[in-house]
């Protein structure tokens, strides 16, 4: 498997439908632009349709032949998730790629419309529910893929207390984000195991961008945003480079279900995308199964696998 993989290695995507959450900015936007340029029919699932239109216009400016449509999806609302999924099932009965990318990071304490802590509810439960509600559209396509975006932060203060999933006892924004990103991996590995057991050709993979320039820092304390901006030429890689692990997981013919892609450089912070290791906790099968069960109970969404 090549360790020098770049955007030029993305195969022809003509005839494929790619649905990307959070596609109006950051990694999602970069991923959408590349897939559209390779001929995919790209569905940009966004919370704010005005921002989505602006992003779509930018892609069309550089790639006039791009086939792009918008889908309103607010992952912090299960009602919105269900409405978006219903639209997908009606308009896109066959989906080749689902890239679960949207998310929030280090926000002050708040809850979703359904009362879940915002990181856990948006980053994990929203994507869990959305995937489960549209997965039949993916199962219709041989070799379809579900790529969920995690983070290096999945190792940071990420012990999961099932007795306090909403962090009501003591809120820690770093722990809340880390736990949500660990949940993304638990979901991916459990989903892949279930797909294999059901004899399905759809695969579940995960990816992370390393340290990349995105808008996720918008909720950071002001002093931290200033420090990151000052150090960005040294610490961060550009957003288009951060999107490469997502793109490789989604399109590399050699990629396999259950793999986790990230930058191959020191500490997985930057570099060309390769298969990387995730934490021991993320591979705990009992934890994976428990998170799956709790996620089904909280969202009311049961998968057909």
């Amino acid at each position: 498997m090549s360790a020098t993989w770049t955007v030029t290695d993305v195969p022809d995507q003509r005839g494929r439908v790619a649905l990307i959450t959070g596609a109006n900015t950051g990694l999602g936007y970069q991923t959408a632009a590349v897939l559209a340029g390779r001929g995919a029919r790209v569905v940009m699932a966004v919370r704010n349709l005005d921002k989505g239109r602006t992003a779509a216009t930018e892609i069309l400016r550089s790639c006039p032949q791009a086939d792009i449509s918008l889908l309103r999806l607010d992952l912090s609302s299960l009602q919105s998730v269900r409405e978006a999924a219903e639209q997908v099932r009606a308009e896109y009965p066959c989906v080749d790629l689902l890239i679960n990318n949207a998310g929030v990071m280090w926000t002050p304490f708040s809850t979703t419309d359904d009362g879940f802590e915002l990181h856990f509810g948006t980053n994990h439960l929203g994507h869990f529910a959305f995937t489960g509600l549209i997965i039949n559209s993916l199962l219709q396509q041989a070799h379809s893929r579900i790529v969920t975006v995690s983070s290096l932060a999945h190792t940071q203060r990420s012990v999961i207390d099932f007795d306090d999933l909403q962090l009501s006892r003591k809120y820690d924004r770093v722990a809340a984000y880390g736990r949500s990103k660990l949940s993304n991996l638990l979901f991916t590995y459990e989903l892949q195991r279930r797909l294999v057991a059901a004899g399905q050709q759809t695969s579940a993979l995960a990816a992370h961008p390393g340290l990349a320039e995105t808008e996720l820092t918008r909720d950071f304390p002001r002093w931290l945003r200033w420090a990151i901006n000052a150090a960005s030429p040294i610490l961060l890689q550009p957003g288009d480079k951060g999107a490469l692990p997502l793109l490789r997981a989604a399109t590399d013919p050699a990629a396999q279900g259950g793999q986790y892609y990230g930058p191959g450089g020191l500490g997985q912070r930057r570099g060309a995308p390769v298969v990387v290791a995730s934490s021991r906790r993320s591979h705990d099968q009992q934890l994976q199964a428990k998170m799956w069960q709790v996620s089904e109970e909280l969202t009311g969404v049961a998968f057909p696998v």
Side-chain angles (χ1 to χ4, degrees), residues 176-199:
Y177 181 67
R179 188 185 58 174
S180 74
K181 294 290 100 180
L182 172 60
S183 298
N184 290 149
L185 286 169
L186 297 172
F187 165 59
T188 295
Y189 297 148
E190 179 69 14
L191 176 57
Q192 174 61 19
R193 183 162 43 252
R194 288 167 176 258
L195 289 166
V196 170

Side-chain angles (χ1 to χ4, degrees), residues 27 30 152 208-214 228 231-246 262-265 268-273:
L27 302 176
Q30 299 291 344
L152 286 170
H208 80 84
L211 299 182
E213 295 182 68
T214 74
I228 290 174
S232 62
I234 300 173
L235 293 178
L236 307 181
Q237 60 180 352
D240 61 338
K241 301 297 184 185
L244 288 177
L246 284 66
Q268 301 180 24
R269 293 177 176 86
R270 57 196 304 157

